[in-house]
Amino acid sequence: MARLQLKNVNKRWGTFVGVENFDLDIADQEFLVLLGPSGCGKSTTMRMIAGLEDVTDGEILLGDRVVNKLEPKDRDISMVFQSYGLYPNLSVYENIRFPLRVRKVPREQHDDMVMRAVRMVELEDFMHRRPAELSGGQRQRVALGRAIVRKPTVFLMDEPLSNLDAKLRVSTRAQIKNLQSKLKVTTVYVTHDQIEAMTLADRVVVMNAGKIQQVGTPTEIYDNPANTFVASFIGSPAMNLVEGTLKDGVFQGEGIRVEGLPTDVSGNITLGFRAEDAEIIEGPGNISAPVYSIELLGEASMITWRLGGALVSIKTNKEYRAEIGETVNARIPSNICHLFDTVSGAVVAHG
């Protein structure tokens, strides 16, 4: 069983706090994604799990065993790095085989174990090539093969797709999801890309400034963000956020007015709604303002207004056309609006 627990884990360098009170229980075989901007503490958290960084306070447990003081090689964890970390003078076969040699796995078992991994990452035709002869996607598959060859208890993946182009990211993402499903190994995956998080994860941990902002399934985090940071980080485009005031169920902001909201909330409020949940209309609506930009996305068009200091976008059908500067109206149903405290950013009410 590969249940992984982090109990009130902290990481400090002098007065600088990298990770603060990280408390999480990761289930056996779960695919967990740590998501957040650069510098939020996600890679530091992964490096503490791997044993590459010491824990300042708290405990990390693998199964029932506290592993804080164990060397990385004794934790039965495999890690895939952003930079691949391949040996340039070794073939694909020998790169994948290398962990078996280091761990002194009996030599007679090597070929079967390596070939199993090679087949899983679909590199049978490239076994005798060296890394310089491979594409970026193929090198990443070698790194994956090397990680899975010895059947570790936990996989750690630190932004493994960030060096790939957009097309390769999509195909390699699908392969990672498929591999994890077949291998049934607990996986912790670090990324700053919310699309990767939404498509890969069983659960997502959104981090900022060293702290957990929200933990949940991709659907929970997308539909019910805990604060304005999560709302602005998840989604493509991110949730629209407009500051204003709420009184007697009526929200009023610059260029926007929405009625029918909760009457038990009042004061300075940030209104949030998703681009796909509102609609362009002909008559009077909640927004009536000049178009700031229009973008054809392929499957839809995106209309954007500037309302005060905020850019607000709504998706509409791909045939829709409007000129920049033309006044366009939009309707925002009150039941899809999220309300956040403008000062703290915490959610007050969900639509």
Side-chain angles (χ1 to χ4, degrees):
M1 178 177 174
R3 180 187 180 194
L4 181 62
Q5 299 175 76
L6 289 87
K7 295 186 175 181
N8 298 316
V9 169
N10 294 275
K11 178 62 181 178
R12 294 187 295 273
W13 293 273
T15 58
F16 178 77
V17 179
V19 177
E20 185 175 356
N21 293 328
F22 194 102
D23 193 49
L24 190 67
D25 194 335
I26 305 168
D28 182 34
Q29 302 182 19
E30 182 174 14
F31 197 127
L32 184 99
V33 174
L34 302 180
L35 174 68
S38 297
C40 73
K42 57 189 186 297
S43 289
T44 300
T45 301
M46 173 172 282
R47 290 174 65 82
M48 287 190 288
I49 296 171
L52 302 176
E53 293 280 1
D54 293 330
V55 174
T56 305
D57 301 302
E59 289 185 332
I60 298 175
L61 290 86
L62 185 53
D64 297 323
R65 182 175 61 157
V66 177
V67 298
N68 291 41
K69 301 299 183 183
L70 292 182
E71 293 294 318
K73 63 183 177 62
D74 298 324
R75 298 194 183 194
D76 196 20
I77 287 171
S78 279
M79 191 163 179
V80 179
F81 295 93
Q82 175 182 343
S83 61
Y84 313 140
L86 305 179
Y87 296 99
N89 59 323
L90 298 182
S91 67
V92 168
Y93 182 96
E94 290 298 334
N95 263 286
I96 293 176
R97 180 186 171 212
F98 192 81
L100 305 181
R101 294 169 56 190
V102 170
R103 289 181 166 267
K104 296 181 171 54
V105 174
R107 194 178 186 89
E108 60 272 16
Q109 298 178 25
H110 287 198
D111 194 59
D112 284 346
M113 295 175 75
V114 172
M115 290 309 300
R116 169 183 169 272
V118 165
R119 284 190 291 271
M120 292 194 80
V121 294
E122 301 174 12
L123 286 171
E124 297 98 318
D125 296 334
F126 303 93
M127 285 194 302
H128 303 296
R129 294 192 188 183
R130 293 187 179 185
E133 303 172 274
L134 303 175
S135 69
Q138 289 163 347
R139 291 179 200 176
Q140 191 55 269
R141 282 190 278 156
V142 177
L144 287 169
R146 188 177 58 190
I148 67 179
V149 68
R150 61 179 184 81
K151 300 180 182 178
T153 304
V154 174
F155 281 145
L156 304 178
M157 299 188 182
D158 191 5
E159 306 217 35
L161 307 184
S162 59
N163 289 337
L164 304 181
D165 62 38
K167 184 177 180 181
L168 268 177
R169 278 202 298 272
V170 172
S171 59
T172 309
R173 193 169 69 212
Q175 188 169 45
I176 288 173
K177 183 73 171 179
N178 182 264
L179 268 175
Q180 199 269 347
S181 175
K182 288 179 179 176
L183 293 167
K184 301 187 184 305
V185 174
T186 306
T187 301
V188 180
Y189 185 106
V190 161
T191 184
H192 63 273
D193 186 325
Q194 55 93 17
I195 295 177
E196 282 181 33
M198 298 291 285
T199 53
L200 287 172
D202 295 324
R203 280 193 304 160
V204 178
V205 179
V206 183
M207 297 183 66
N208 188 39
K211 297 180 180 179
I212 294 176
Q213 301 296 308
Q214 188 171 359
V215 181
T217 66
T219 300
E220 288 168 350
I221 287 177
Y222 187 84
D223 289 343
N224 300 302
N227 53 46
T228 50
F229 175 81
V230 176
S232 64
F233 202 80
I234 296 291
S236 182
M239 181 177 284
N240 294 303
L241 296 171
V242 185
E243 294 184 5
T245 56
L246 181 63
K247 183 178 180 181
D248 298 328
V250 179
F251 175 85
Q252 185 73 52
E254 188 169 340
I256 182 172
R257 177 185 170 89
V258 181
E259 300 178 358
L261 296 170
T263 56
D264 58 344
V265 179
S266 62
N268 293 329
I269 290 293
T270 297
L271 180 85
F273 63 95
R274 294 286 181 193
E276 65 271 21
D277 290 336
E279 61 178 344
I280 304 296
I281 60 173
E282 291 294 332
N286 306 106
I287 295 174
S288 181
V291 172
Y292 182 79
S293 74
I294 179 168
E295 302 165 85
L296 178 61
L297 306 179
E299 83 287 356
S301 291
M302 185 89 73
I303 307 297
T304 301
W305 299 264
R306 180 178 285 282
L307 305 180
L311 291 178
V312 173
S313 299
I314 290 178
K315 284 184 178 180
T316 188
N317 65 74
K318 62 184 179 182
E319 290 82 18
Y320 184 85
R321 296 291 181 268
E323 298 295 326
I324 291 177
E326 178 184 344
T327 297
V328 171
N329 305 325
R331 185 176 73 87
I332 307 166
S334 59
N335 64 342
I336 58 91
C337 292
H338 304 264
L339 305 179
F340 303 92
D341 183 278
T342 298
V343 176
S344 70
V347 69
V348 177
H350 285 300

